[in-house]
Amino acid sequence: MTPPGFLDLPDAGPQAARVTLLPLPFEGTVSFGGGTAAAPAAILAASAQVELWDDEQEVDLAALAYHWAAPVPPAADEAAGAYLARVEAAARPLHRDGGLVIGVGGEHSLTPPLVAAATAAHDGADLTVVQLDAHADLRDEYAGTPHSHACAMRRLVERGARLIAIGIRSAAADEAAFRRHCPRLETFAAASLARDAGAEARLLELLATLTGRVYLTIDIDAFETHLCPGTGTPQPGGLAWWQALRYLACLLRPQPGRVLIGADLVEVVPQPTTQVNEFVAARLLAKVIAYAAAAP
Ligand SMILES: [Mn+2]
């Protein structure tokens, strides 16, 4: 018997899929608290409990075709750089089949190779990465490696991407300095979004009018800790559920002149005593898909 696919629907296979999920059970560079390698399988299992009718968007998720691709696990003692190169190679052909490719981590160091695969498949001069995250992830290197989860956004900005960072509430002094001097980087800190209605209005306007190629990366720790108690480095003061979904709806609703070239969801850590982590993650993936599938 074929095992149930994403959302408990039959797996449509790579060619027919409108949405392909690429499971990446990688926690090679985590700094505090492991367990994110178990997330893809737990999120797939939790997705069976997600309602197929999106009652907010009035979208029937069962009307789309999904493919849960073969997981790309790291080999024993494989160097992070070698593994991440294999992630890019695994993601590239998935884009060739068309549709939206979503990486399901795993830790945040997965984003640069996923972005590289997505940009190779979608021509265009400009690229905006939209990051939901508690941490800036702008370190030049961390724990002796430039491939750390703490460096992921720095690598993308260095390669020329524009970055819109949302929900940030933890950064080191050198990350703050980099941010100040980088014109391609806009940060909407969790504190300003909570305290300043003007900041939220500016963010919504920016997301609604964004054009060109867009890649979305969601670190689950962007959210309030009660929505992601298992994540490696939970940070208080995060985004509320409907707050984050306001931003995602604005960004993801199809619009002329804008193309969503890929997305990922990282840093989810399942725990033995609760299913909150993987269920929130599965629901979030379903919301991302429903927004992206809604009529313009
Ligand atoms: Mn992160």
Side-chain angles (χ1 to χ4, degrees), residues 108 131 133 135 137 149 219 221 267:
H108 217 164
Q131 170 201 15
D133 205 325
H135 308 88
D137 291 349
H149 61 97
D219 186 322
D221 68 24
E267 303 289 352

Side-chain angles (χ1 to χ4, degrees), residues 74-292:
D77 296 325
E78 187 175 20
Y83 172 71
L84 296 173
R86 285 204 296 120
V87 168
E88 182 180 338
R92 274 177 181 249
L94 300 178
H95 284 280
R96 274 204 291 275
D97 292 322
L100 177 62
V101 177
I102 306 178
V104 182
E107 58 163 70
H108 217 164
S109 53
L110 292 162
T111 301
L114 291 172
V115 170
T119 48
H122 294 85
D123 288 338
D126 54 343
L127 168 68
T128 304
V129 175
V130 177
Q131 170 201 15
L132 269 64
D133 205 325
H135 308 88
D137 291 349
L138 290 170
R139 284 179 154 96
D140 192 25
E141 61 158 57
Y142 190 68
T145 171
H147 299 298
S148 170
H149 61 97
C151 312
M153 298 305 121
R154 176 76 168 255
R155 297 290 88 85
L156 293 169
V157 171
E158 284 170 349
R159 289 177 202 162
R162 175 188 183 195
L163 179 67
I164 300 173
I166 305 168
I168 309 298
R169 54 201 186 276
S170 176
D174 60 326
E175 294 182 290
F178 179 78
R179 196 161 60 191
R180 258 194 308 278
H181 295 113
C182 182
R184 292 192 302 279
L185 206 162
E186 288 159 277
T187 298
F188 292 84
S192 38
L193 290 169
R195 291 173 185 154
D196 174 8
E200 169 146 292
R202 281 196 302 282
L203 172 59
L204 289 170
E205 171 73 14
L206 179 60
L207 295 176
T209 55
L210 204 56
T211 55
R213 297 183 297 174
V214 173
Y215 184 95
L216 170 67
T217 178
I218 304 175
D219 186 322
I220 199 71
D221 68 24
F223 286 87
E224 277 287 16
T225 56
H226 66 265
L227 295 170
C228 53
T231 195
T233 45
Q235 295 280 349
L239 303 178
W241 178 253
W242 291 113
Q243 177 191 11
L245 292 192
R246 272 201 301 282
Y247 308 153
L248 291 175
C250 219
L251 175 73
L252 294 169
R253 283 200 185 108
Q255 255 199 75
R258 180 195 306 172
V259 53
L260 178 67
I261 63 166
D264 64 59
L265 174 61
V266 296
E267 303 289 352
V268 175
V269 176
Q271 294 173 294
T273 51
T274 175
Q275 272 120 40
V276 162
N277 299 286
E278 57 268 37
F279 192 79
V280 167
R283 195 78 169 84
L284 188 57
L285 287 173
K287 292 304 293 182
V288 164
I289 293 162
Y291 288 135

